[in-house]
Amino acid sequence: MIERIDDHLGNLTLEALGLRPTGGQQGRPVPTQLTHAESGPELSISHISDAHPAVLSYFTRIGLVADTRLIVQPHRLHSDIVTIRMLGHTEDVHLGNVASDAVWVTSIEMT
């Protein structure tokens, strides 16, 4: 399954996403597309694709930028919508696949 997802995403590397590799260090969070993020844990935006300028503009207007912390709400069955709650905000944001595919997140490490 991981190989199919990797093929679907075009075998992206961290460098292709504008991220630095961890240098082989264990325990470092690995970015994942918001579309595939699990609900519940606090996440931080590590990268936003600029492939769709209108989506990027929308994100800027609502405050969804790099390093924004958020929580993915439970996924609805048979829906292509990802619902998130940005920390410090009181309302959920509903994102379709194009928007959620453009956002890469990492889990917040607990210290």
Side-chain angles (χ1 to χ4, degrees), residues 83-103:
T83 302
I84 63 169
R85 170 80 51 95
M86 293 185 287
L87 271 57
H89 294 253
T90 58
E91 299 206 14
D92 289 341
V93 176
H94 308 283
L95 302 172
N97 281 346
V98 172
S100 62
D101 282 352
V103 178

Side-chain angles (χ1 to χ4, degrees), residues 14-55:
L14 292 176
E15 292 87 356
L17 296 170
L19 303 171
R20 289 177 298 204
T22 63
Q25 295 177 355
Q26 295 292 332
R28 299 279 311 246
V30 176
T32 187
Q33 275 182 306
L34 183 58
T35 301
H36 305 292
E38 291 189 28
S39 62
E42 185 177 327
L43 304 170
S44 177
I45 296 177
S46 57
H47 176 76
I48 298 177
S49 169
D50 59 0
H52 301 282
V55 171

Side-chain angles (χ1 to χ4, degrees), residues 1-20:
M1 182 168 94
I2 299 296
E3 290 175 18
R4 287 194 327 235
I5 292 171
D6 195 34
D7 289 343
H8 176 74
L9 297 176
N11 299 303
L12 295 175
T13 63
L14 292 176
E15 292 87 356
L17 296 170
L19 303 171
R20 289 177 298 204

Side-chain angles (χ1 to χ4, degrees), residues 50-65:
D50 59 0
H52 301 282
V55 171
L56 196 56
S57 177
Y58 169 68
F59 288 163
T60 301
R61 274 196 324 272
I62 65 170
L64 195 64
V65 296

